[in-house]
Amino acid sequence: MSVAKDFETPEDVIFPPGDLESNEPPLETYLHLQQMLLLIKCIDWWWRDHNCLNDYFAAGNISIHYSPRQRKSEDFRGPDFFIVLNTEHKPRDSWVVWEEDGKYPNLIIELLSKSTAAIDKGLKKQIYQDIFRTPEYFWFDPKNLEFAGFILVGGTYQPIEPNPQGLLWSQQLSLYLGVHENQLRYFNAEGQVMPTPEEIAQWEAEHAQQERQRAEQERQRAERLAAKLRELGVDPDTI
């Protein structure tokens, strides 16, 4: 019996159709994916010691289901990034409003691309304003670095005015958002960029190396001093 014969497909196996569509559009580029992951991991890192770990949900590119008839097959949107505050911090495959005490996101960020910009600035903005009532909405284009933010005032999104540094304040996060080295980053109230876990690890490694070098320099200095004292007939151990 040939190898090919051993791996023949049984006739009674039924394969799913190849044209099944996901509820979520794919992220446009690798830059979009990296940006989404950056926003998620940085807020998780920043809030790890701020008594927020158990009362928020941050995610990206998953569906928010909001059908009044509580049907997942209708009325859903998939923001590139969103945060819901005052909720249980646990994994979810999607955000189902009627299963989450009617909660909608407190903040949404869409990552613009040529194929999505019109919808993100039009239809989605309208939905987030009129149906979600999401307090803050931002968009950012990872390629051309277009960045804007809006806050819900009297039921209508109003532009968030940038500070002199060009940063936009988020009342929901108590942090600024702004562009740093071609990425959308978080900044603290003083306008300092919030480091990523990798940046902190690198800084700690560099600091440790500097401390080792300083300790070695001190050791060598002490040895030179001891040698000089011995030349002068002084026992350094008696000093």
Side-chain angles (χ1 to χ4, degrees), residues 11-83:
E11 294 182 358
D12 58 347
V13 172
I14 301 176
F15 289 98
D19 59 351
L20 290 178
E21 295 185 0
S22 168
N23 286 347
E24 299 306 322
L27 287 169
E28 192 77 6
T29 67
Y30 179 75
L31 284 177
H32 290 73
L33 173 61
Q34 290 298 101
Q35 179 64 73
M36 181 192 73
L37 296 176
L38 179 66
L39 290 168
I40 294 172
K41 73 178 178 181
C42 284
I43 203 66
D44 284 342
W45 176 261
W46 174 240
W47 279 351
R48 74 195 187 287
D49 294 327
H50 287 66
N51 299 318
C52 300
L53 188 58
N54 295 318
D55 60 6
Y56 76 95
F57 178 66
N61 206 39
I62 67 172
S63 293
I64 297 175
H65 297 274
Y66 59 97
S67 167
R69 296 192 292 179
Q70 299 188 2
R71 295 179 178 177
K72 290 186 177 181
S73 60
E74 58 189 32
D75 296 330
F76 56 85
R77 289 288 164 182
D80 293 319
F81 173 80
F82 68 91
I83 292 180

Side-chain angles (χ1 to χ4, degrees), residues 106-119:
N106 292 75
L107 176 146
I108 290 175
I109 300 174
E110 291 288 1
L111 304 177
L112 304 181
S113 66
K114 289 183 178 180
S115 63
T116 67
I119 295 177

Side-chain angles (χ1 to χ4, degrees), residues 221-231 234-237:
R221 178 177 176 275
E223 288 180 351
R224 289 194 298 268
L225 178 60
K228 187 64 176 179
L229 289 173
R230 291 189 183 97
E231 290 176 4
V234 178
D235 185 355
D237 294 331

